[in-house]
Amino acid sequence: MQKIGFSGTLDPITNGHMWVIGEARSLADEVIVFLSQNPAKKPQFPAEDRKRIIEQSARECGWDNVQVVIVKGDYTARAAKKHGCDYLIRGIRTTADFDYENLIQQTNVDVLQGAKTIFVMPPRDLGSVSSSFVKALEGPVGWNWTMKKFVPGPAYQAWILDCLRKEWEALWNYATASPADIALADHWFAHLTGPQAYGGADRHYHNLDHLVHGLSEIRVWADNTFAPKRDSALVKKAFWFHDAVYSHDDDALYSSEEASAQLWLASGLDAGDNLDVAQLIRATDHFQGPGISHALKDAMLSADLAILGQDEEVYQAYTQAIVREYAHVDPVRFNEQRGLALQHLSAKAQAGQLFGDAYFADQYNARAIDNMQKEIAALAGG
């Protein structure tokens, strides 16, 4: 078979979709993904963005015979025929899927004289994965770690950037801000999510994942503790900037935390909250932190340390990211230093002092002790 088509809204494309495209590649020399642009639907991403995400996902897999076409004002089956595809391929997960797709197939062939449909059944682990399933994951703490398992890298990257963009615009009140203030905020959003900060290729833990997770923790903390809106905003602003500078340079003039505080102070974003936010950033510094006094210090530090109390799968992903982030350190020395740091943190947790905020302590202290003790034992065993 020379060409085969695959169609859908693909908002976002999932690993299930990628599996079907892979099956299509085994049947044909060329696969054309027909991206539906339905005016009745309100997708998360515009069609051009979805096209780019699909193309990037295909390149990540090394697929050079996958083309993406946006279908405007035409039926997909008819557009497929026009592009030389006699067949479309569809994934069938349930009997309900089959009944629906069979009806569509009859319409495509009998009414539209379009491409016929080939049905394939995905493996069990992808049987429930759909765009709507993935969308439903967003919101609760840790949603990004879960979502990451079900979509290709480019789709995940686009999704969390979109989520962060919404968080950022709400934080800086874009709806009522002046054009000059919006332009300034746009500049800093691009900087913080870009290669100079959390989006850097060398960022393996202190990256966009960490940013999304921490902001989710702060949002849920505020909802559960009825924190005043200004308090929540202060902690969020500090979290956005607290790891903006992250360096392993021991000869640097400032610690990474102090450099991040200085970056915030120079940003011009919010003169009214300048000192409060800078102090909360400095609270995360091992050297300055103990001397910082601020009413929101415990919430800030607890949100930053909340990763220690996540479920086993997320915690393992975190430890692997830390190993990659310190790949420049001799492995023996890393294990020693990491073990000492965990022993210190574990002792604080056992004394009830790891999470200074009561909400975070209740949520994560017991799990953090268990996670760290297991990692300490693993490090000791080499």
Side-chain angles (χ1 to χ4, degrees), residues 299-320:
M300 177 68 185
L301 292 179
S302 295
D304 199 25
L305 292 172
I307 190 67
L308 298 174
Q310 303 304 304
D311 62 43
E312 185 176 0
E313 187 175 14
V314 173
Y315 187 81
Q316 286 181 355
Y318 151 70
T319 59
Q320 290 164 7

Side-chain angles (χ1 to χ4, degrees), residues 144-145 148 156 197-215 217 239 242-243 246 248 301-310 314-327 334 338:
N144 58 305
W145 303 106
K148 203 170 193 175
Y156 175 74
Y198 297 98
D202 59 340
R203 297 288 193 104
H204 299 288
Y205 171 63
H206 299 89
N207 56 13
L208 294 173
D209 287 333
H210 177 53
L211 194 55
V212 171
H213 185 196
L215 292 170
E217 292 281 6
F239 205 90
H242 81 294
D243 283 325
Y246 191 75
H248 298 296
L301 292 179
S302 295
D304 199 25
L305 292 172
I307 190 67
L308 298 174
Q310 303 304 304
V314 173
Y315 187 81
Q316 286 181 355
Y318 151 70
T319 59
Q320 290 164 7
I322 289 292
V323 170
R324 291 195 298 273
E325 194 137 288
Y326 288 90
F334 170 81
R338 176 73 177 165

Side-chain angles (χ1 to χ4, degrees), residues 184-242:
L184 179 64
D186 281 348
H187 165 78
W188 282 106
F189 178 81
H191 178 89
L192 292 171
T193 59
Q196 292 177 291
Y198 297 98
D202 59 340
R203 297 288 193 104
H204 299 288
Y205 171 63
H206 299 89
N207 56 13
L208 294 173
D209 287 333
H210 177 53
L211 194 55
V212 171
H213 185 196
L215 292 170
S216 297
E217 292 281 6
I218 294 164
R219 172 175 45 79
V220 174
W221 161 79
D223 289 344
N224 280 279
T225 62
F226 304 101
K229 186 175 180 180
R230 181 174 183 271
D231 287 0
S232 173
L234 284 174
V235 181
K236 283 184 177 181
K237 290 171 185 177
F239 205 90
W240 269 101
F241 273 81
H242 81 294

Side-chain angles (χ1 to χ4, degrees), residues 40-54:
K41 293 185 177 181
K42 294 183 178 179
Q44 180 89 3
F45 300 103
E48 289 296 338
D49 287 352
R50 282 177 278 147
K51 181 176 185 289
R52 173 182 51 79
I53 291 166
I54 297 165

